[in-house]
Amino acid sequence: MFGLYISHPQVQIDPQVAVPDWSLSPLGRERVLAAAARPWVAKLQRIVSSPERKAIETAEILAEAAGVEVEIASASHEIDRSSTGYLTHDAHEEAANRFFADPSHSFRGWEKAIDAQQRIVTTISQIILEHDPARPIAFVGHGGVGTLLKCSLAGRPIARDGDQPPGGGNLFCFSLARNLAECRLKCEWTPMEFWQGET
């Protein structure tokens, strides 16, 4: 069976609101609804979300289509970037480049990439350990920690060339096993509404 990591799509950017509290934009919601109509969603038997609002909103739409409840994994939040607060698009892109290029050092107080990777891998590992691999599962979260998880699954070093395409709302698929170390990456980041399901 398969596991998925799904990043939330476009959000309503509001510099006056803390980033974890941002919600989906109309376009983002439209994309999740389109994905929810795909046959693979109905196969999901568990959906585990980051505690951030935009991820929960994404997970809730998918969960309604799958007929399951959303579970929250509190440690699966996005990279902690609270030290810099809101950054413009160009400033954020430059910061992200620095984050991935120097994983063992903090960029202006951001969570280190190696620490964020350990956090997301540990969180997903703990869930996989007690999960029946015969039951398809989806983790809904963020592009940054998702890329760090993807690098680990693929056995690759941390690097931004593994990052998702712009806009978010992408997923990658991996095989399920009794522990995360035995799970294998099965596809690269793919827009959620275009993914055809496990092949």
Side-chain angles (χ1 to χ4, degrees):
M1 285 297 169
F2 65 94
L4 297 173
Y5 188 91
I6 305 171
S7 69
H8 67 81
Q10 286 86 349
V11 298
Q12 199 72 47
I13 296 172
D14 185 347
Q16 304 305 313
V17 175
V19 174
D21 296 328
W22 285 355
S23 61
L24 294 177
S25 69
L27 174 58
R29 182 170 293 275
E30 180 182 320
R31 292 185 61 203
V32 184
L33 287 168
R38 289 287 185 177
W40 57 264
V41 175
K43 297 178 182 178
L44 296 174
Q45 295 187 31
R46 285 183 76 185
I47 295 179
V48 181
S49 176
S50 153
E52 297 192 28
R53 180 176 177 183
K54 49 195 172 285
I56 293 173
E57 290 179 356
T58 302
E60 286 175 341
I61 295 170
L62 297 174
E64 182 176 359
V68 300
E69 296 293 323
V70 175
E71 303 171 43
I72 303 296
S74 60
S76 66
H77 57 83
E78 181 59 299
I79 300 152
D80 184 351
R81 309 187 300 260
S82 56
S83 61
T84 56
Y86 171 76
L87 295 173
T88 64
H89 178 268
D90 289 347
H92 178 270
E93 289 301 299
E94 175 59 28
N97 287 338
R98 298 271 296 277
F99 171 86
F100 281 102
D102 195 358
S104 62
H105 291 88
S106 170
F107 170 77
R108 292 176 55 190
W110 280 23
E111 183 178 19
K112 298 174 187 175
I114 55 171
D115 294 340
Q117 184 180 60
Q118 181 175 357
R119 171 172 57 80
I120 192 66
V121 167
T122 298
T123 300
I124 303 299
S125 293
Q126 290 171 343
I127 294 169
I128 294 292
L129 276 174
E130 50 80 33
H131 179 74
D132 178 356
R135 301 174 63 210
I137 184 172
F139 298 92
V140 181
H142 311 274
V145 289
T147 296
L148 297 172
L149 175 66
K150 178 171 163 280
C151 290
S152 178
L153 280 167
R156 302 172 191 159
I158 292 172
R160 199 172 187 196
D161 62 7
D163 200 0
Q164 67 172 342
N170 299 285
L171 62 78
F172 60 80
C173 180
F174 56 93
S175 63
L176 283 179
R178 286 293 177 184
N179 61 73
L180 189 63
E182 296 176 1
C183 297
R184 295 291 178 265
L185 187 66
K186 299 188 73 175
C187 76
E188 295 294 323
W189 286 114
T190 305
M192 62 165 68
E193 67 271 41
F194 296 151
W195 192 57
Q196 298 298 308
E198 187 186 23
T199 55

